[in-house]
PDB file of all heavy atoms in Angstrom:
ATOM      1  N   VAL A   1     117.782 122.624  89.978  1.00 95.00           N
ATOM      2  CA  VAL A   1     117.431 123.759  89.148  1.00 95.00           C
ATOM      3  C   VAL A   1     118.450 124.106  88.138  1.00 95.00           C
ATOM      4  O   VAL A   1     118.321 124.977  87.215  1.00 95.00           O
ATOM      5  CB  VAL A   1     116.985 124.985  89.920  1.00 95.00           C
ATOM      6  CG1 VAL A   1     115.775 124.684  90.794  1.00 95.00           C
ATOM      7  CG2 VAL A   1     118.150 125.568  90.735  1.00 95.00           C
ATOM      8  N   GLY A   2     119.684 123.409  88.198  1.00 94.00           N
ATOM      9  CA  GLY A   2     120.686 123.627  87.199  1.00 94.00           C
ATOM     10  C   GLY A   2     121.693 124.735  87.556  1.00 94.00           C
ATOM     11  O   GLY A   2     122.398 125.151  86.616  1.00 94.00           O
ATOM     12  N   ASP A   3     121.751 125.166  88.799  1.00 95.00           N
ATOM     13  CA  ASP A   3     122.652 126.282  89.087  1.00 95.00           C
ATOM     14  C   ASP A   3     124.027 125.742  89.395  1.00 95.00           C
ATOM     15  O   ASP A   3     124.952 126.658  89.435  1.00 95.00           O
ATOM     16  CB  ASP A   3     122.098 127.050  90.294  1.00 95.00           C
ATOM     17  CG  ASP A   3     120.963 127.924  89.973  1.00 95.00           C
ATOM     18  OD1 ASP A   3     120.583 128.118  88.749  1.00 95.00           O
ATOM     19  OD2 ASP A   3     120.308 128.556  90.908  1.00 95.00           O
ATOM     20  N   CYS A   4     124.196 124.485  89.670  1.00 95.00           N
ATOM     21  CA  CYS A   4     125.492 123.913  89.860  1.00 95.00           C
ATOM     22  C   CYS A   4     125.496 122.436  89.591  1.00 95.00           C
ATOM     23  O   CYS A   4     124.429 121.806  89.510  1.00 95.00           O
ATOM     24  CB  CYS A   4     126.041 124.293  91.235  1.00 95.00           C
ATOM     25  SG  CYS A   4     125.393 123.098  92.626  1.00 95.00           S
ATOM     26  N   ASP A   5     126.703 121.927  89.416  1.00 95.00           N
ATOM     27  CA  ASP A   5     126.713 120.408  89.249  1.00 95.00           C
ATOM     28  C   ASP A   5     126.777 119.673  90.623  1.00 95.00           C
ATOM     29  O   ASP A   5     126.921 120.367  91.715  1.00 95.00           O
ATOM     30  CB  ASP A   5     127.938 120.032  88.424  1.00 95.00           C
ATOM     31  CG  ASP A   5     129.287 120.411  89.055  1.00 95.00           C
ATOM     32  OD1 ASP A   5     129.374 120.855  90.202  1.00 95.00           O
ATOM     33  OD2 ASP A   5     130.286 120.303  88.290  1.00 95.00           O
ATOM     34  N   LEU A   6     126.535 118.450  90.639  1.00 95.00           N
ATOM     35  CA  LEU A   6     126.432 117.684  91.851  1.00 95.00           C
ATOM     36  C   LEU A   6     127.728 117.673  92.603  1.00 95.00           C
ATOM     37  O   LEU A   6     127.769 117.762  93.870  1.00 95.00           O
ATOM     38  CB  LEU A   6     126.038 116.237  91.527  1.00 95.00           C
ATOM     39  CG  LEU A   6     125.824 115.242  92.767  1.00 95.00           C
ATOM     40  CD1 LEU A   6     124.757 115.854  93.698  1.00 95.00           C
ATOM     41  CD2 LEU A   6     125.284 113.875  92.222  1.00 95.00           C
ATOM     42  N   ARG A   7     128.862 117.611  91.975  1.00 95.00           N
ATOM     43  CA  ARG A   7     130.200 117.645  92.556  1.00 95.00           C
ATOM     44  C   ARG A   7     130.365 118.948  93.524  1.00 95.00           C
ATOM     45  O   ARG A   7     130.941 118.858  94.476  1.00 95.00           O
ATOM     46  CB  ARG A   7     131.326 117.592  91.518  1.00 95.00           C
ATOM     47  CG  ARG A   7     132.784 117.572  92.133  1.00 95.00           C
ATOM     48  CD  ARG A   7     133.001 116.323  92.827  1.00 95.00           C
ATOM     49  NE  ARG A   7     134.260 116.213  93.443  1.00 95.00           N
ATOM     50  CZ  ARG A   7     134.480 116.510  94.800  1.00 95.00           C
ATOM     51  NH1 ARG A   7     133.422 116.926  95.502  1.00 95.00           N
ATOM     52  NH2 ARG A   7     135.611 116.360  95.307  1.00 95.00           N
ATOM     53  N   SER A   8     129.871 120.066  93.007  1.00 95.00           N
ATOM     54  CA  SER A   8     129.943 121.287  93.759  1.00 95.00           C
ATOM     55  C   SER A   8     129.216 121.286  95.061  1.00 95.00           C
ATOM     56  O   SER A   8     129.522 122.078  95.978  1.00 95.00           O
ATOM     57  CB  SER A   8     129.529 122.482  92.854  1.00 95.00           C
ATOM     58  OG  SER A   8     130.257 122.496  91.663  1.00 95.00           O
ATOM     59  N   ALA A   9     128.186 120.526  95.154  1.00 96.00           N
ATOM     60  CA  ALA A   9     127.280 120.534  96.245  1.00 96.00           C
ATOM     61  C   ALA A   9     127.762 119.519  97.399  1.00 96.00           C
ATOM     62  O   ALA A   9     127.412 119.669  98.515  1.00 96.00           O
ATOM     63  CB  ALA A   9     125.888 120.154  95.881  1.00 96.00           C
ATOM     64  N   ILE A  10     128.620 118.609  97.033  1.00 96.00           N
ATOM     65  CA  ILE A  10     129.106 117.551  97.984  1.00 96.00           C
ATOM     66  C   ILE A  10     130.047 118.085  98.998  1.00 96.00           C
ATOM     67  O   ILE A  10     131.021 118.848  98.800  1.00 96.00           O
ATOM     68  CB  ILE A  10     129.756 116.453  97.152  1.00 96.00           C
ATOM     69  CG1 ILE A  10     128.761 115.724  96.221  1.00 96.00           C
ATOM     70  CG2 ILE A  10     130.406 115.418  98.103  1.00 96.00           C
ATOM     71  CD1 ILE A  10     129.323 114.737  95.199  1.00 96.00           C
ATOM     72  N   VAL A  11     129.766 117.686 100.310  1.00 96.00           N
ATOM     73  CA  VAL A  11     130.651 117.996 101.379  1.00 96.00           C
ATOM     74  C   VAL A  11     131.025 116.808 102.172  1.00 96.00           C
ATOM     75  O   VAL A  11     130.313 115.744 102.117  1.00 96.00           O
ATOM     76  CB  VAL A  11     129.956 119.031 102.367  1.00 96.00           C
ATOM     77  CG1 VAL A  11     129.772 120.357 101.712  1.00 96.00           C
ATOM     78  CG2 VAL A  11     128.653 118.489 102.945  1.00 96.00           C
ATOM     79  N   GLU A  12     132.149 116.793 102.837  1.00 94.00           N
ATOM     80  CA  GLU A  12     132.585 115.666 103.702  1.00 94.00           C
ATOM     81  C   GLU A  12     131.733 115.618 104.969  1.00 94.00           C
ATOM     82  O   GLU A  12     131.188 116.581 105.405  1.00 94.00           O
ATOM     83  CB  GLU A  12     134.037 115.863 104.085  1.00 94.00           C
ATOM     84  CG  GLU A  12     135.038 115.729 102.946  1.00 94.00           C
ATOM     85  CD  GLU A  12     136.483 115.807 103.359  1.00 94.00           C
ATOM     86  OE1 GLU A  12     136.702 115.891 104.652  1.00 94.00           O
ATOM     87  OE2 GLU A  12     137.322 115.667 102.547  1.00 94.00           O
ATOM     88  N   THR A  13     131.597 114.352 105.525  1.00 95.00           N
ATOM     89  CA  THR A  13     130.894 114.204 106.796  1.00 95.00           C
ATOM     90  C   THR A  13     131.918 113.791 107.871  1.00 95.00           C
ATOM     91  O   THR A  13     133.110 113.593 107.512  1.00 95.00           O
ATOM     92  CB  THR A  13     129.818 113.146 106.722  1.00 95.00           C
ATOM     93  OG1 THR A  13     130.435 111.731 106.619  1.00 95.00           O
ATOM     94  CG2 THR A  13     128.936 113.313 105.460  1.00 95.00           C
ATOM     95  N   VAL A  14     131.444 113.557 109.097  1.00 91.00           N
ATOM     96  CA  VAL A  14     132.311 113.122 110.203  1.00 91.00           C
ATOM     97  C   VAL A  14     132.791 111.649 109.921  1.00 91.00           C
ATOM     98  O   VAL A  14     133.746 111.161 110.565  1.00 91.00           O
ATOM     99  CB  VAL A  14     131.662 113.170 111.534  1.00 91.00           C
ATOM    100  CG1 VAL A  14     131.561 114.666 111.909  1.00 91.00           C
ATOM    101  CG2 VAL A  14     130.290 112.468 111.448  1.00 91.00           C
ATOM    102  N   VAL A  15     132.157 110.908 108.985  1.00 93.00           N
ATOM    103  CA  VAL A  15     132.518 109.575 108.762  1.00 93.00           C
ATOM    104  C   VAL A  15     133.440 109.450 107.542  1.00 93.00           C
ATOM    105  O   VAL A  15     133.154 109.978 106.433  1.00 93.00           O
ATOM    106  CB  VAL A  15     131.238 108.736 108.380  1.00 93.00           C
ATOM    107  CG1 VAL A  15     131.535 107.261 108.154  1.00 93.00           C
ATOM    108  CG2 VAL A  15     130.246 108.934 109.531  1.00 93.00           C
ATOM    109  N   PRO A  16     134.633 108.895 107.658  1.00 93.00           N
ATOM    110  CA  PRO A  16     135.538 108.659 106.539  1.00 93.00           C
ATOM    111  C   PRO A  16     134.811 107.958 105.385  1.00 93.00           C
ATOM    112  O   PRO A  16     134.037 106.993 105.634  1.00 93.00           O
ATOM    113  CB  PRO A  16     136.676 107.871 107.069  1.00 93.00           C
ATOM    114  CG  PRO A  16     136.616 108.107 108.611  1.00 93.00           C
ATOM    115  CD  PRO A  16     135.174 108.261 108.936  1.00 93.00           C
ATOM    116  N   ARG A  17     135.070 108.332 104.119  1.00 94.00           N
ATOM    117  CA  ARG A  17     134.488 107.683 102.916  1.00 94.00           C
ATOM    118  C   ARG A  17     132.984 107.982 102.756  1.00 94.00           C
ATOM    119  O   ARG A  17     132.448 107.395 101.838  1.00 94.00           O
ATOM    120  CB  ARG A  17     134.774 106.234 102.872  1.00 94.00           C
ATOM    121  CG  ARG A  17     136.249 105.846 103.068  1.00 94.00           C
ATOM    122  CD  ARG A  17     136.453 104.314 103.067  1.00 94.00           C
ATOM    123  NE  ARG A  17     136.520 103.954 101.621  1.00 94.00           N
ATOM    124  CZ  ARG A  17     137.601 103.364 101.070  1.00 94.00           C
ATOM    125  NH1 ARG A  17     138.659 103.218 101.752  1.00 94.00           N
ATOM    126  NH2 ARG A  17     137.540 102.951  99.763  1.00 94.00           N
ATOM    127  N   LEU A  18     132.395 108.723 103.616  1.00 96.00           N
ATOM    128  CA  LEU A  18     130.922 109.085 103.451  1.00 96.00           C
ATOM    129  C   LEU A  18     130.834 110.618 103.204  1.00 96.00           C
ATOM    130  O   LEU A  18     131.293 111.391 104.069  1.00 96.00           O
ATOM    131  CB  LEU A  18     130.163 108.614 104.764  1.00 96.00           C
ATOM    132  CG  LEU A  18     128.712 109.006 104.651  1.00 96.00           C
ATOM    133  CD1 LEU A  18     127.951 108.202 103.574  1.00 96.00           C
ATOM    134  CD2 LEU A  18     128.089 108.662 106.091  1.00 96.00           C
ATOM    135  N   HIS A  19     130.238 110.856 102.019  1.00 97.00           N
ATOM    136  CA  HIS A  19     129.977 112.328 101.708  1.00 97.00           C
ATOM    137  C   HIS A  19     128.435 112.509 101.561  1.00 97.00           C
ATOM    138  O   HIS A  19     127.729 111.607 101.468  1.00 97.00           O
ATOM    139  CB  HIS A  19     130.622 112.628 100.357  1.00 97.00           C
ATOM    140  CG  HIS A  19     132.138 112.665 100.468  1.00 97.00           C
ATOM    141  ND1 HIS A  19     132.864 111.505 100.577  1.00 97.00           N
ATOM    142  CD2 HIS A  19     133.070 113.729 100.478  1.00 97.00           C
ATOM    143  CE1 HIS A  19     134.194 111.805 100.653  1.00 97.00           C
ATOM    144  NE2 HIS A  19     134.287 113.159 100.559  1.00 97.00           N
ATOM    145  N   ILE A  20     128.078 113.775 101.591  1.00 97.00           N
ATOM    146  CA  ILE A  20     126.633 114.106 101.376  1.00 97.00           C
ATOM    147  C   ILE A  20     126.479 115.374 100.544  1.00 97.00           C
ATOM    148  O   ILE A  20     127.240 116.250 100.615  1.00 97.00           O
ATOM    149  CB  ILE A  20     125.973 114.272 102.815  1.00 97.00           C
ATOM    150  CG1 ILE A  20     124.499 114.443 102.610  1.00 97.00           C
ATOM    151  CG2 ILE A  20     126.534 115.500 103.477  1.00 97.00           C
ATOM    152  CD1 ILE A  20     123.648 114.366 103.854  1.00 97.00           C
ATOM    153  N   ALA A  21     125.437 115.286  99.706  1.00 97.00           N
ATOM    154  CA  ALA A  21     124.954 116.505  98.977  1.00 97.00           C
ATOM    155  C   ALA A  21     123.807 117.006  99.802  1.00 97.00           C
ATOM    156  O   ALA A  21     122.762 116.398  99.845  1.00 97.00           O
ATOM    157  CB  ALA A  21     124.607 116.185  97.582  1.00 97.00           C
ATOM    158  N   PRO A  22     124.037 118.035 100.588  1.00 97.00           N
ATOM    159  CA  PRO A  22     123.008 118.447 101.602  1.00 97.00           C
ATOM    160  C   PRO A  22     121.794 119.099 100.975  1.00 97.00           C
ATOM    161  O   PRO A  22     121.775 119.515  99.743  1.00 97.00           O
ATOM    162  CB  PRO A  22     123.728 119.441 102.468  1.00 97.00           C
ATOM    163  CG  PRO A  22     124.734 120.055 101.588  1.00 97.00           C
ATOM    164  CD  PRO A  22     125.200 118.938 100.637  1.00 97.00           C
ATOM    165  N   SER A  23     120.702 119.309 101.659  1.00 97.00           N
ATOM    166  CA  SER A  23     119.540 120.021 101.198  1.00 97.00           C
ATOM    167  C   SER A  23     119.122 121.030 102.286  1.00 97.00           C
ATOM    168  O   SER A  23     119.596 121.073 103.427  1.00 97.00           O
ATOM    169  CB  SER A  23     118.367 119.106 100.956  1.00 97.00           C
ATOM    170  OG  SER A  23     117.726 118.749 102.166  1.00 97.00           O
ATOM    171  N   ASN A  24     118.148 121.877 101.812  1.00 95.00           N
ATOM    172  CA  ASN A  24     117.505 122.802 102.771  1.00 95.00           C
ATOM    173  C   ASN A  24     116.064 123.118 102.200  1.00 95.00           C
ATOM    174  O   ASN A  24     115.654 122.450 101.264  1.00 95.00           O
ATOM    175  CB  ASN A  24     118.315 124.113 102.934  1.00 95.00           C
ATOM    176  CG  ASN A  24     118.600 124.822 101.652  1.00 95.00           C
ATOM    177  OD1 ASN A  24     117.848 124.724 100.636  1.00 95.00           O
ATOM    178  ND2 ASN A  24     119.552 125.643 101.571  1.00 95.00           N
ATOM    179  N   MET A  25     115.388 123.994 102.859  1.00 94.00           N
ATOM    180  CA  MET A  25     113.963 124.184 102.567  1.00 94.00           C
ATOM    181  C   MET A  25     113.713 124.731 101.174  1.00 94.00           C
ATOM    182  O   MET A  25     112.680 124.779 100.680  1.00 94.00           O
ATOM    183  CB  MET A  25     113.344 125.205 103.612  1.00 94.00           C
ATOM    184  CG  MET A  25     113.370 124.634 105.032  1.00 94.00           C
ATOM    185  SD  MET A  25     112.349 123.144 105.228  1.00 94.00           S
ATOM    186  CE  MET A  25     110.759 123.847 105.319  1.00 94.00           C
ATOM    187  N   ASP A  26     114.799 125.237 100.519  1.00 93.00           N
ATOM    188  CA  ASP A  26     114.733 125.733  99.064  1.00 93.00           C
ATOM    189  C   ASP A  26     114.123 124.713  98.178  1.00 93.00           C
ATOM    190  O   ASP A  26     113.433 125.019  97.243  1.00 93.00           O
ATOM    191  CB  ASP A  26     116.035 126.198  98.551  1.00 93.00           C
ATOM    192  CG  ASP A  26     116.533 127.464  99.270  1.00 93.00           C
ATOM    193  OD1 ASP A  26     115.755 128.107  99.908  1.00 93.00           O
ATOM    194  OD2 ASP A  26     117.797 127.807  99.073  1.00 93.00           O
ATOM    195  N   LEU A  27     114.365 123.459  98.512  1.00 93.00           N
ATOM    196  CA  LEU A  27     113.900 122.302  97.719  1.00 93.00           C
ATOM    197  C   LEU A  27     112.340 122.214  97.589  1.00 93.00           C
ATOM    198  O   LEU A  27     111.847 121.713  96.696  1.00 93.00           O
ATOM    199  CB  LEU A  27     114.335 120.971  98.371  1.00 93.00           C
ATOM    200  CG  LEU A  27     115.552 120.190  97.818  1.00 93.00           C
ATOM    201  CD1 LEU A  27     115.715 118.834  98.472  1.00 93.00           C
ATOM    202  CD2 LEU A  27     115.384 120.016  96.290  1.00 93.00           C
ATOM    203  N   LEU A  28     111.749 122.903  98.569  1.00 93.00           N
ATOM    204  CA  LEU A  28     110.218 122.933  98.449  1.00 93.00           C
ATOM    205  C   LEU A  28     109.761 123.607  97.217  1.00 93.00           C
ATOM    206  O   LEU A  28     108.603 123.257  96.703  1.00 93.00           O
ATOM    207  CB  LEU A  28     109.637 123.739  99.696  1.00 93.00           C
ATOM    208  CG  LEU A  28     109.756 122.947 101.030  1.00 93.00           C
ATOM    209  CD1 LEU A  28     109.327 123.925 102.106  1.00 93.00           C
ATOM    210  CD2 LEU A  28     108.687 121.752 101.000  1.00 93.00           C
ATOM    211  N   GLY A  29     110.574 124.525  96.633  1.00 91.00           N
ATOM    212  CA  GLY A  29     110.127 125.226  95.420  1.00 91.00           C
ATOM    213  C   GLY A  29     110.583 124.567  94.130  1.00 91.00           C
ATOM    214  O   GLY A  29     110.124 125.036  93.094  1.00 91.00           O
ATOM    215  N   VAL A  30     111.299 123.424  94.177  1.00 92.00           N
ATOM    216  CA  VAL A  30     111.795 122.824  92.977  1.00 92.00           C
ATOM    217  C   VAL A  30     110.659 122.451  92.037  1.00 92.00           C
ATOM    218  O   VAL A  30     110.780 122.620  90.845  1.00 92.00           O
ATOM    219  CB  VAL A  30     112.710 121.635  93.342  1.00 92.00           C
ATOM    220  CG1 VAL A  30     112.846 120.678  92.082  1.00 92.00           C
ATOM    221  CG2 VAL A  30     114.027 122.178  93.726  1.00 92.00           C
ATOM    222  N   GLU A  31     109.633 121.811  92.580  1.00 87.00           N
ATOM    223  CA  GLU A  31     108.594 121.235  91.712  1.00 87.00           C
ATOM    224  C   GLU A  31     107.948 122.339  90.786  1.00 87.00           C
ATOM    225  O   GLU A  31     107.748 122.128  89.651  1.00 87.00           O
ATOM    226  CB  GLU A  31     107.487 120.637  92.535  1.00 87.00           C
ATOM    227  CG  GLU A  31     106.683 119.603  91.818  1.00 87.00           C
ATOM    228  CD  GLU A  31     106.256 118.485  92.705  1.00 87.00           C
ATOM    229  OE1 GLU A  31     106.742 118.292  93.908  1.00 87.00           O
ATOM    230  OE2 GLU A  31     105.421 117.651  92.256  1.00 87.00           O
ATOM    231  N   LEU A  32     107.698 123.551  91.359  1.00 89.00           N
ATOM    232  CA  LEU A  32     107.140 124.594  90.578  1.00 89.00           C
ATOM    233  C   LEU A  32     108.183 125.149  89.584  1.00 89.00           C
ATOM    234  O   LEU A  32     107.779 125.475  88.459  1.00 89.00           O
ATOM    235  CB  LEU A  32     106.684 125.728  91.547  1.00 89.00           C
ATOM    236  CG  LEU A  32     105.386 125.500  92.314  1.00 89.00           C
ATOM    237  CD1 LEU A  32     105.195 126.701  93.208  1.00 89.00           C
ATOM    238  CD2 LEU A  32     104.237 125.369  91.263  1.00 89.00           C
ATOM    239  N   GLU A  33     109.398 125.214  89.962  1.00 92.00           N
ATOM    240  CA  GLU A  33     110.359 125.792  89.055  1.00 92.00           C
ATOM    241  C   GLU A  33     110.810 124.954  87.842  1.00 92.00           C
ATOM    242  O   GLU A  33     111.065 125.517  86.802  1.00 92.00           O
ATOM    243  CB  GLU A  33     111.723 126.089  89.886  1.00 92.00           C
ATOM    244  CG  GLU A  33     111.509 127.236  90.933  1.00 92.00           C
ATOM    245  CD  GLU A  33     112.897 127.678  91.380  1.00 92.00           C
ATOM    246  OE1 GLU A  33     113.811 127.909  90.578  1.00 92.00           O
ATOM    247  OE2 GLU A  33     113.020 127.802  92.656  1.00 92.00           O
ATOM    248  N   ILE A  34     110.669 123.659  87.999  1.00 92.00           N
ATOM    249  CA  ILE A  34     111.030 122.729  86.852  1.00 92.00           C
ATOM    250  C   ILE A  34     109.824 122.061  86.203  1.00 92.00           C
ATOM    251  O   ILE A  34     109.979 121.252  85.300  1.00 92.00           O
ATOM    252  CB  ILE A  34     112.163 121.764  87.229  1.00 92.00           C
ATOM    253  CG1 ILE A  34     111.623 120.707  88.223  1.00 92.00           C
ATOM    254  CG2 ILE A  34     113.393 122.477  87.752  1.00 92.00           C
ATOM    255  CD1 ILE A  34     112.596 119.582  88.439  1.00 92.00           C
ATOM    256  N   ALA A  35     108.595 122.405  86.658  1.00 87.00           N
ATOM    257  CA  ALA A  35     107.419 121.658  86.307  1.00 87.00           C
ATOM    258  C   ALA A  35     107.291 121.690  84.734  1.00 87.00           C
ATOM    259  O   ALA A  35     106.731 120.668  84.241  1.00 87.00           O
ATOM    260  CB  ALA A  35     106.169 122.282  86.940  1.00 87.00           C
ATOM    261  N   ASN A  36     107.609 122.718  84.071  1.00 89.00           N
ATOM    262  CA  ASN A  36     107.443 122.879  82.571  1.00 89.00           C
ATOM    263  C   ASN A  36     108.590 122.368  81.769  1.00 89.00           C
ATOM    264  O   ASN A  36     108.575 122.477  80.523  1.00 89.00           O
ATOM    265  CB  ASN A  36     107.045 124.271  82.225  1.00 89.00           C
ATOM    266  CG  ASN A  36     105.728 124.696  82.907  1.00 89.00           C
ATOM    267  OD1 ASN A  36     104.790 123.838  82.963  1.00 89.00           O
ATOM    268  ND2 ASN A  36     105.673 125.973  83.388  1.00 89.00           N
ATOM    269  N   GLU A  37     109.727 121.872  82.476  1.00 90.00           N
ATOM    270  CA  GLU A  37     110.874 121.493  81.744  1.00 90.00           C
ATOM    271  C   GLU A  37     110.702 120.099  81.189  1.00 90.00           C
ATOM    272  O   GLU A  37     110.146 119.186  81.949  1.00 90.00           O
ATOM    273  CB  GLU A  37     112.120 121.511  82.642  1.00 90.00           C
ATOM    274  CG  GLU A  37     112.315 122.947  83.264  1.00 90.00           C
ATOM    275  CD  GLU A  37     112.765 123.998  82.191  1.00 90.00           C
ATOM    276  OE1 GLU A  37     113.292 123.564  81.116  1.00 90.00           O
ATOM    277  OE2 GLU A  37     112.499 125.145  82.453  1.00 90.00           O
ATOM    278  N   ARG A  38     111.171 119.776  80.027  1.00 92.00           N
ATOM    279  CA  ARG A  38     110.942 118.441  79.454  1.00 92.00           C
ATOM    280  C   ARG A  38     111.685 117.354  80.161  1.00 92.00           C
ATOM    281  O   ARG A  38     111.279 116.223  80.233  1.00 92.00           O
ATOM    282  CB  ARG A  38     111.333 118.443  78.030  1.00 92.00           C
ATOM    283  CG  ARG A  38     110.377 119.333  77.114  1.00 92.00           C
ATOM    284  CD  ARG A  38     110.718 119.154  75.674  1.00 92.00           C
ATOM    285  NE  ARG A  38     110.579 117.864  75.195  1.00 92.00           N
ATOM    286  CZ  ARG A  38     110.710 117.464  73.902  1.00 92.00           C
ATOM    287  NH1 ARG A  38     111.208 118.357  72.991  1.00 92.00           N
ATOM    288  NH2 ARG A  38     110.524 116.219  73.471  1.00 92.00           N
ATOM    289  N   ASP A  39     112.862 117.783  80.766  1.00 93.00           N
ATOM    290  CA  ASP A  39     113.677 116.776  81.478  1.00 93.00           C
ATOM    291  C   ASP A  39     113.452 116.779  82.966  1.00 93.00           C
ATOM    292  O   ASP A  39     114.276 116.320  83.785  1.00 93.00           O
ATOM    293  CB  ASP A  39     115.191 116.987  81.221  1.00 93.00           C
ATOM    294  CG  ASP A  39     115.648 118.327  81.876  1.00 93.00           C
ATOM    295  OD1 ASP A  39     114.788 119.135  82.199  1.00 93.00           O
ATOM    296  OD2 ASP A  39     116.917 118.486  81.960  1.00 93.00           O
ATOM    297  N   ARG A  40     112.276 117.283  83.389  1.00 94.00           N
ATOM    298  CA  ARG A  40     112.060 117.489  84.874  1.00 94.00           C
ATOM    299  C   ARG A  40     112.190 116.182  85.714  1.00 94.00           C
ATOM    300  O   ARG A  40     112.433 116.227  86.855  1.00 94.00           O
ATOM    301  CB  ARG A  40     110.663 118.081  85.142  1.00 94.00           C
ATOM    302  CG  ARG A  40     109.448 117.256  84.647  1.00 94.00           C
ATOM    303  CD  ARG A  40     108.154 117.977  84.758  1.00 94.00           C
ATOM    304  NE  ARG A  40     107.035 117.216  84.114  1.00 94.00           N
ATOM    305  CZ  ARG A  40     106.726 117.320  82.913  1.00 94.00           C
ATOM    306  NH1 ARG A  40     107.338 118.092  82.082  1.00 94.00           N
ATOM    307  NH2 ARG A  40     105.710 116.593  82.462  1.00 94.00           N
TER     308      ARG A  40
END
């Protein structure tokens, strides 16, 4: 939704050299929120 860049979302995992940008149930609402954006 453009509230932060990807770097800000990334966290370390228990595995060296493996990182993750995590998700949660908020993602369910993304489609409605960006549906009218040209770059959706």
Side-chain angles (χ1 to χ4, degrees):
V1 299
D3 285 351
C4 78
D5 59 13
L6 184 54
R7 182 70 185 92
S8 302
I10 294 170
V11 293
E12 290 184 0
T13 72
V14 291
V15 181
R17 305 182 82 116
L18 178 64
H19 292 72
I20 187 167
S23 83
N24 58 22
M25 296 299 278
D26 291 347
L27 259 186
L28 286 169
V30 159
E31 203 146 350
L32 284 174
E33 290 194 46
I34 66 173
N36 296 322
E37 303 294 331
R38 292 186 65 178
D39 68 344
R40 61 186 175 274

